[in-house]
Amino acid sequence: MASRHLSRSIAMQSLYEWDFYNKKKGFLEEITKRNIKDFGPGLEDATFIWNLIFGVEKHLTKIDRIIEMAAPEWPISQIPIIDRNVLRVGLFELLYSDKKEVPPKVAINEAIELAKSFSGQTSGKFVNGVLGTVFKQLQDE
């Protein structure tokens, strides 16, 4: 598994657990450290993971609002927890990352792959639909 894909996977799993425990203050860093140790042995640099984790945490309210606008029939609390956090990682990369480092289509494709790997059969399509909607809106601006 490529290191960036593994990093996204670890970030998503950490956000999932943090979300599962109601986003307990200060718990995200502890979870992430443990997940890097457990799932990322040999990972040379965890900087990308921390950028994703802290970026999603910093922009969480705005990211969640964007999810609800892009999928109005799905209130954030009704989106499966895995899908919700895959979308958060994907949207953070789509909206806030350096486009030269992570082109939008790469961010979308990586999120789709995470959804397919960790969630249900239709999750990849759902994630693609939400991120595709946001990407189209960004292009129209």
Side-chain angles (χ1 to χ4, degrees):
M1 185 181 295
S3 64
R4 285 214 166 214
H5 185 74
L6 176 60
S7 295
R8 286 180 182 94
S9 174
I10 291 170
M12 188 280 301
Q13 290 176 62
S14 300
L15 289 163
Y16 168 89
E17 186 174 344
W18 178 62
D19 195 5
F20 183 82
Y21 288 109
N22 297 313
K23 299 186 270 314
K24 185 177 166 190
K25 188 151 178 74
F27 198 43
L28 182 55
E29 193 169 339
E30 179 184 323
I31 292 166
T32 305
K33 284 179 184 176
R34 185 188 68 239
N35 285 343
I36 290 169
K37 182 179 171 223
D38 290 348
F39 303 121
L43 191 64
E44 292 179 19
D45 187 7
T47 303
F48 186 61
I49 296 170
W50 292 110
N51 288 341
L52 292 172
I53 291 294
F54 292 134
V56 168
E57 183 181 35
K58 177 181 178 182
H59 299 285
L60 185 66
T61 303
K62 185 173 183 182
I63 289 170
D64 283 356
R65 264 189 266 127
I66 291 168
I67 293 169
E68 288 186 326
M69 288 187 312
E73 64 283 356
W74 285 94
I76 199 79
S77 62
Q78 290 182 7
I79 296 172
I81 195 167
I82 291 277
D83 297 357
R84 187 165 60 220
N85 287 288
V86 167
L87 285 168
R88 287 171 175 161
V89 170
L91 279 170
F92 173 75
E93 287 196 279
L94 193 59
L95 298 171
Y96 300 103
S97 69
D98 178 354
K99 304 306 178 240
K100 291 177 184 167
E101 187 178 325
V102 181
K105 290 184 180 185
V106 171
I108 293 169
N109 287 335
E110 285 290 323
I112 292 166
E113 290 305 314
L114 284 175
K116 287 179 180 178
S117 296
F118 290 97
S119 196
Q121 291 180 319
T122 60
S123 294
K125 290 178 183 177
F126 177 68
V127 167
N128 185 35
V130 173
L131 295 180
T133 297
V134 174
F135 179 63
K136 186 176 182 327
Q137 290 171 349
L138 289 173
Q139 287 183 316
D140 292 344
E141 290 179 354

